[in-house]
Amino acid sequence: QVQLVESGGGLVQAGGSLRLSCAASGRTFSSYTMGWFRQAPGKEREFVAAISRSGGSTYYPDSVKGRFTISRDNAKNTVYLQMNSLKPEDTAVYYCAADTVTSGLRIGNSRRYDYWGQGIQITVSS
């Protein structure tokens, strides 16, 4: 069982920055691809970012590319999401997710991930 706990959420003005952290309990954290997803009311869960096991590869959709940066510190069992130039449309509950089993699914497919954090609210005011 892998437990994921997000922190760092809150309210920020448009143009501001926040950094989310996700602390993992997994014994083999360095073996997991990690991802961030978000979900706004009435919307489907949306891929935000992912990072490979070693941190050598990162992935972003066009909606956040150039503004968000995912990183990880395997020694601390933690993955981060740095969010800059925030926009009101970034408002959502953000979820940290772990991919612990090889599935062949695309990196942005939420079904690839088998463990999820509880979610944390990000609100960007205009």
Side-chain angles (χ1 to χ4, degrees):
Q1 180 83 346
V2 176
Q3 293 179 316
L4 305 172
V5 180
E6 301 99 334
S7 62
L11 176 65
V12 66
Q13 292 184 328
S17 298
L18 287 173
R19 189 175 79 155
L20 301 182
S21 298
C22 174
S25 65
R27 183 175 179 179
T28 55
F29 176 77
S30 63
S31 297
Y32 311 151
T33 295
M34 299 295 297
W36 288 95
F37 291 77
R38 66 188 182 188
Q39 189 164 22
K43 303 291 182 64
E44 293 189 1
R45 190 162 294 186
E46 176 188 18
F47 171 67
V48 175
I51 188 166
S52 61
R53 294 175 295 171
S54 67
S57 298
T58 57
Y59 309 86
Y60 308 92
D62 289 342
S63 59
V64 308
K65 192 173 298 181
R67 299 189 298 121
F68 290 10
T69 303
I70 188 171
S71 61
R72 69 192 296 161
D73 186 340
N74 287 345
K76 296 182 178 180
N77 275 26
T78 302
V79 63
Y80 305 94
L81 184 68
Q82 178 68 45
M83 303 183 290
N84 298 327
S85 301
L86 283 162
K87 305 174 181 179
E89 51 262 45
D90 295 319
T91 295
V93 175
Y94 283 68
Y95 297 89
C96 176
D99 167 21
T100 68
V101 179
T102 301
S103 69
L105 298 174
R106 297 180 69 173
I107 200 79
N109 188 337
S110 63
R111 293 174 57 217
R112 179 182 176 121
Y113 301 85
D114 50 331
Y115 292 94
W116 294 82
Q118 80 283 359
I120 189 164
Q121 179 70 47
I122 301 298
T123 301
V124 183
S125 62
S126 61

